[in-house]
Amino acid sequence: MTRLRSIFSAVWPWIRIPFWVCMGLLFGFVLPYTLVLNKRVQDRFNDLVFAVPTRVYARPLPLAAGTPMTSSTLELELTFAGYSNDGHADVAGTWAKEGSTYTIASRGYAGPDGGEVPKRIRVALSKTQVTSVKDLANGKPIEMTHLDPARIATVYGSQQEERRIVRLTDVPPLLLSGLQAVEDRDFKHHFGIDLTAILRASFANLRAGHTVQGGSTLTQQLVRNLFLDREQNFSRKLNEALMSILIEAHYDKSRILEAYVNEVFLGQQGGQAVHGFAAASEFYFGRRMEDLKPQEMALLIGMVKGPSYYDPRRYPDRALSRRNLVLDQFSETNLITAEQANAYKATPLGIVSNGQLPHNRFPAFMDLVRLQITSDFDDDTLSQGNLSIFTTLDPAAQVYAEQAITTTLGGLGKRGEAAQAAAVVTEAQTGAVLAIVGSKIPGDQGFNRALDAKRQIGSLVKPLVYLVALTNPERWNLASPVEDSPISLRQPDGSFWTPKNDEGDVHGSVPMVDALVHSWNLASINLGMSVGVSRIKAFLESFGLSNVNPSPSLLIGAVDMSPLQATQLYQYIAADGHALPPLAVRGVVDARGQTIKRYEVKTGAGEYQPAVRLTTWAMQQVTRSGTAASIGTVGLGYLNAAGKTGTSNDLRDSWFAGFTADHLAVFWMGRDDNKPSGMYGNTGSLRAWQELFKKLPTRPLPAAPGQGLEMAWVNTADGKRSEEGCEGARQVPVVAGTLSQDAEGCFWQHVGNFFSGSDASPAPASSAPSRD
């Protein structure tokens, strides 16, 4: 110690100044700078919680003999669910086609209704439906199966983000092992920087005369992705090394590797970067990361070195060479055999041409999902609960509805350019919401017109007016006379309200069914006033509507509703008198596959079902010979659809609501500035409805009247039972047992007409033109 002290005393005068300078730098700069970096590293890294957020899924696709289905629809569903056509269907998440028969290797899933196990199935189609489903494991027919649903969104709290986060346990083992074998073989042993790798890379680069090998660890690469730019200078290298050491000091290797797998940069689509292996898997191969093949994993790992340089779409030869080199490294590190490597190297790249970044594709639908789940789950639970929300979305219905709007507006010239649109599609019998379109631009994240735009519904209200009348079958039936005659009513301000029919004409006494079929305003107002405007108002308010117009103008649609609210009204008719709320969520499942919340509507016996069935039959006549008769001329008459057009004052709003046995769809078109759109119901929204049902597989409505009704000949002059062939006789469905069985004979009818001076004549369905 004495000698050491003497040596120190001798050298101290020489090192004193450098020592204090170093101490000053250490305590005045290095330590504070390191503390600042440390806080930055921890703040940023702690933001990468990587607790699996809430995942949102479409409905599982049901497959059973007799299910309406077409080849194009099935392939669309498979695409959205992340399946790929590899020609063999021997790997989960793939399919193959031979003629009209599909072989599908499903993945299985756990859902609120129990879910399905993975299986290989064979699905045979006819032109319009599934003819058989067979389990290929045992060759036996399957009564019903479901394909795992498409993942449509990821919810972080109440917000959505375009990300795909995976846990380390979900990453294929070969991908993790191969990544370390190629990029950082000493990952498990270094402290953030690998000095031996740096020396080895430096020697290789000096010998080659240019950069041929890098010495960066996975931790350093992660630091570059999270914190730094690509500029090459000393300060950046120093920051990279310090941050890497700090990350290694605070977090274990598995946490670092998980962050890397989710954050590594692997390409670009326009202005959006592809981060993480899960996103890259969908972008390049159109499949989930869990379903990647070894050669596909090798390509993604190889692209880490230079995503732009090895872009397989722009430079397939470079990408192929790099992939094969990585496969050789897999073989060298005994991850695969040499024979396997050679077999994988002989395969093509397999890049899909239409790969898209994973994103929340259906924002309008997700708005309704959020409304339904946020009352039951808070932000923390949604962002960190590792939940799965199973919705009612039908990807095919959604895409077809979007395409229907695009096609229709595109065919309307300048009117279409100035207009906007919205649509809601539901399951007719259950109220499950299958699709929501909030804008004419698919995927538009802006104003959701389907939920939030309230516009006058025009004649869309009329079937509800007639329905309320028909709840009193002793007084009203579909052949009862109503007056289509001029009306002039004094308003509270002293002025007169003088409504007119669309064509400006009047038709006198007409059968109720004709008044609805041709949407005559004057007949509807006279009928509604006889029924009572207050009764119509109360009926509409029973659906949860507020601020319903109490004046007679309500009877021809002077009431504002959103497309979703209008759908609720028509859902009541389509569901045979059951008032069903629009349901967008089926259930919520936790990380263990246990259902923690189920959303379902328990229906009762139904209300006013005879009146609802009469209204449905009358609305079917609207699509046969009335304002929606073009449904038959475009080849959709076989659907026997029930529907109603609607047009508001000055052609501001174009509406159509119509349903088949399976589907109800409501379309709205108009201008955001509420100026005249130039479209009637049947020149705008009806065309979009037709475009939808040209593609959407669905079953027709029965043409015969519903249960509890009977066809009867009725005298349209008084609404009483008549005989076939009598003057004014019309055959319509009536509520069984409500008409006297004593028919008014033709002889006594002529006698009555003689004494009354009446000159009645048979009243066939009117062919007067109508446009609403």
Side-chain angles (χ1 to χ4, degrees):
M1 292 298 294
T2 301
R3 292 189 65 181
L4 288 173
R5 278 197 299 271
S6 63
I7 294 171
F8 180 77
S9 297
V11 300
W12 174 246
W14 300 95
I15 67 171
R16 180 178 57 188
I17 293 176
F19 174 80
W20 288 117
V21 169
C22 289
M23 287 298 101
L25 288 172
L26 176 65
F27 290 101
F29 176 74
V30 176
L31 282 180
Y33 184 68
T34 303
L35 290 174
V36 170
L37 280 184
N38 185 61
K39 185 176 188 309
R40 184 183 172 194
V41 165
Q42 286 192 288
D43 287 347
R44 179 73 175 96
F45 210 86
N46 288 337
D47 284 342
L48 305 175
V49 176
F50 295 133
V52 178
T54 296
R55 297 170 173 178
V56 186
Y57 295 90
R59 59 96 181 88
L61 176 65
L63 291 172
T67 302
M69 184 61 63
T70 62
S71 291
S72 57
T73 300
L74 178 57
E75 291 179 21
L76 179 63
E77 293 272 0
L78 290 168
T79 299
F80 267 95
Y83 282 71
S84 61
N85 180 6
D86 68 352
H88 305 289
D90 52 5
V91 177
T94 60
W95 59 275
K97 179 182 179 181
E98 185 176 349
S100 59
T101 300
Y102 291 78
T103 301
I104 304 170
S106 69
R107 303 185 188 97
Y109 68 97
D113 299 319
E116 298 269 1
V117 298
K119 59 171 72 80
R120 289 183 78 236
I121 60 174
R122 181 158 292 154
V123 181
L125 302 182
S126 66
K127 188 176 180 180
T128 60
Q129 67 179 18
V130 177
T131 56
S132 67
V133 183
K134 184 181 294 185
D135 188 338
L136 293 181
N138 55 29
K140 295 182 178 179
I142 300 175
E143 183 175 341
M144 169 70 79
T145 190
H146 296 80
L147 296 185
D148 49 294
R151 182 172 167 184
I152 60 172
T154 303
V155 177
Y156 294 77
S158 59
Q159 303 299 315
Q160 279 176 244
E161 297 181 20
E162 298 185 2
R163 298 170 59 187
R164 283 289 187 266
I165 303 300
V166 294
R167 298 298 298 268
L168 210 57
T169 52
D170 296 328
V171 182
L174 180 59
L175 180 57
L176 292 176
S177 302
L179 177 64
Q180 294 171 65
V182 174
E183 291 294 323
D184 190 356
R185 294 186 184 182
D186 293 325
F187 173 72
K188 295 181 180 178
H189 308 293
H190 61 64
F191 56 92
I193 57 176
D194 189 344
L195 297 177
T196 59
I198 293 172
L199 291 173
R200 183 171 60 247
S202 299
F203 178 74
N205 295 339
L206 284 171
R207 187 171 61 179
H210 59 91
T211 301
V212 295
Q213 187 174 331
S216 297
T217 64
L218 290 178
T219 311
Q220 288 174 280
Q221 294 178 33
L222 177 61
V223 166
R224 287 199 292 269
N225 271 285
L226 294 177
F227 304 102
L228 305 175
D229 56 33
R230 297 285 171 176
E231 186 179 348
Q232 296 288 337
N233 56 52
F234 177 77
S235 63
R236 193 197 67 80
K237 284 288 187 183
L238 178 62
N239 284 336
E240 179 184 299
L242 281 174
M243 288 180 167
S244 298
I245 293 170
L246 290 170
I247 285 177
E248 293 273 354
H250 287 295
Y251 305 101
D252 60 40
K253 294 288 186 180
S254 62
R255 179 79 180 277
I256 296 168
L257 189 58
E258 185 173 80
Y260 185 95
V261 165
N262 284 288
E263 288 292 333
V264 61
F265 174 68
L266 286 168
Q268 194 88 14
Q269 183 188 46
Q272 189 173 1
V274 182
H275 280 286
F277 285 101
S281 174
E282 296 186 32
F283 183 56
Y284 292 112
F285 299 107
R287 290 205 310 281
R288 300 190 308 180
M289 180 188 63
E290 296 92 318
D291 301 323
L292 288 177
K293 300 173 183 178
Q295 65 269 28
E296 295 167 344
M297 297 180 201
L299 176 60
L300 296 184
I301 291 170
M303 291 178 63
V304 169
K305 184 178 179 181
S308 298
Y309 186 80
Y310 295 111
D311 185 334
R313 292 194 179 98
R314 297 179 62 194
Y315 309 110
D317 292 339
R318 292 179 190 173
L320 184 65
S321 177
R322 178 64 179 163
R323 183 203 69 176
N324 292 346
L325 179 62
V326 171
L327 287 169
D328 286 337
Q329 291 178 285
F330 282 10
S331 177
E332 290 171 12
T333 52
N334 298 317
L335 296 177
I336 60 176
T337 65
E339 291 77 13
Q340 287 174 320
N342 289 332
Y344 297 145
K345 286 160 68 173
T347 62
L349 288 175
I351 302 299
V352 296
S353 59
N354 60 343
Q356 295 291 318
L357 283 177
H359 65 292
N360 297 316
R361 174 72 173 76
F362 309 117
F365 182 85
M366 284 302 300
D367 285 345
L368 185 57
V369 170
R370 281 197 206 87
L371 286 174
Q372 295 189 357
I373 64 172
T374 50
S375 60
D376 297 309
F377 299 94
D378 58 29
D379 279 6
D380 288 341
T381 303
L382 292 174
S383 62
Q384 302 182 29
N386 194 2
L387 303 177
S388 295
I389 298 175
F390 287 82
T391 73
T392 58
L393 181 97
D394 179 337
Q398 178 72 37
V399 171
Y400 291 157
E402 292 172 354
Q403 292 174 347
I405 286 173
T406 300
T407 300
T408 301
L409 290 180
L412 290 173
K414 292 184 178 180
R415 286 181 298 165
E417 292 174 10
Q420 262 292 350
V424 180
V425 184
T426 67
E427 201 169 68
Q429 300 302 316
T430 68
V433 180
L434 305 179
I436 296 181
V437 184
S439 167
K440 68 178 180 181
I441 302 172
D444 186 359
Q445 305 265 352
F447 183 54
N448 188 346
R449 294 162 187 80
L451 272 61
D452 301 323
K454 294 190 176 182
R455 305 290 287 262
Q456 281 201 2
I457 65 171
S459 296
L460 221 60
V461 78
K462 290 176 182 174
L464 286 304
V465 174
Y466 288 76
L467 192 156
V468 173
L470 292 168
T471 59
N472 185 359
E474 283 73 24
R475 181 178 180 187
W476 303 102
N477 61 59
L478 288 176
S480 296
V482 294
E483 288 299 319
D484 187 62
S485 54
I487 296 170
S488 184
L489 299 174
R490 183 184 293 274
Q491 299 185 102
D493 63 359
S495 63
F496 284 87
W497 180 56
T498 310
K500 296 181 179 180
N501 287 331
D502 184 63
E503 301 292 333
D505 51 359
V506 295
H507 306 90
S509 180
V510 296
M512 182 189 290
V513 64
D514 287 357
L516 180 59
V517 164
H518 297 290
S519 199
W520 288 325
N521 290 335
L522 299 177
S524 299
I525 295 168
N526 280 311
L527 173 64
M529 292 182 66
S530 296
V531 173
V533 176
S534 60
R535 285 189 63 196
I536 309 299
K537 178 176 182 291
F539 183 63
L540 295 179
E541 288 175 337
S542 70
F543 292 91
L545 299 173
S546 57
N547 301 318
V548 176
N549 178 6
S551 72
S553 60
L554 165 66
L555 304 172
I556 53 173
V559 58
D560 293 343
M561 294 186 197
S562 70
L564 185 66
Q565 289 174 320
T567 301
Q568 281 187 268
L569 297 182
Y570 277 79
Q571 191 72 59
Y572 176 77
I573 303 174
D576 197 33
H578 293 92
L580 303 174
L583 191 68
V585 181
R586 294 185 184 275
V588 180
V589 174
D590 64 17
R592 297 171 297 173
Q594 301 296 313
T595 300
I596 58 177
K597 180 73 176 180
R598 190 186 303 273
Y599 296 83
E600 53 187 347
V601 177
K602 295 181 179 179
T603 59
E607 301 175 318
Y608 308 125
Q609 284 177 310
V612 168
R613 291 165 186 168
L614 289 171
T615 304
T616 297
W617 187 88
M619 289 170 62
Q620 288 178 293
Q621 312 317 304
V622 172
T623 67
R624 287 197 181 103
S625 59
T627 57
S630 61
I631 287 177
T633 63
V634 299
L636 296 175
Y638 72 95
L639 291 176
N640 299 320
K644 184 69 187 77
T645 53
T647 310
S648 65
N649 285 341
D650 301 320
L651 306 184
R652 286 185 170 88
D653 303 281
S654 167
W655 292 87
F656 184 74
F659 58 92
T660 66
D662 295 321
H663 299 98
L664 162 67
V666 176
F667 283 85
W668 166 85
M669 290 181 175
R671 291 174 55 126
D672 282 341
D673 59 11
N674 204 29
K675 292 180 179 179
S677 67
M679 292 183 287
Y680 289 90
N682 59 4
T683 59
S685 290
L686 172 58
R687 294 184 185 179
W689 190 94
Q690 292 167 354
E691 291 294 331
L692 169 63
F693 283 92
K694 286 176 184 177
K695 297 179 179 179
L696 185 65
T698 191
R699 291 177 301 151
L701 269 178
Q707 185 179 2
L709 306 182
E710 62 175 347
M711 295 299 294
W713 287 93
V714 181
N715 185 352
T716 57
D718 56 17
K720 297 180 179 179
R721 189 182 291 273
S722 180
E723 292 180 352
E724 182 178 0
C726 290
E727 294 178 357
R730 189 77 174 272
Q731 190 178 36
V732 295
V734 298
V735 178
T738 57
L739 286 182
S740 169
Q741 293 302 312
D742 296 328
E744 187 180 76
C746 297
F747 172 77
W748 292 109
Q749 184 184 64
H750 286 302
V751 172
N753 291 341
F754 175 80
F755 285 106
S756 66
S758 172
D759 188 22
S761 59
S766 171
S767 59
S770 53
R771 303 184 67 180
D772 182 21

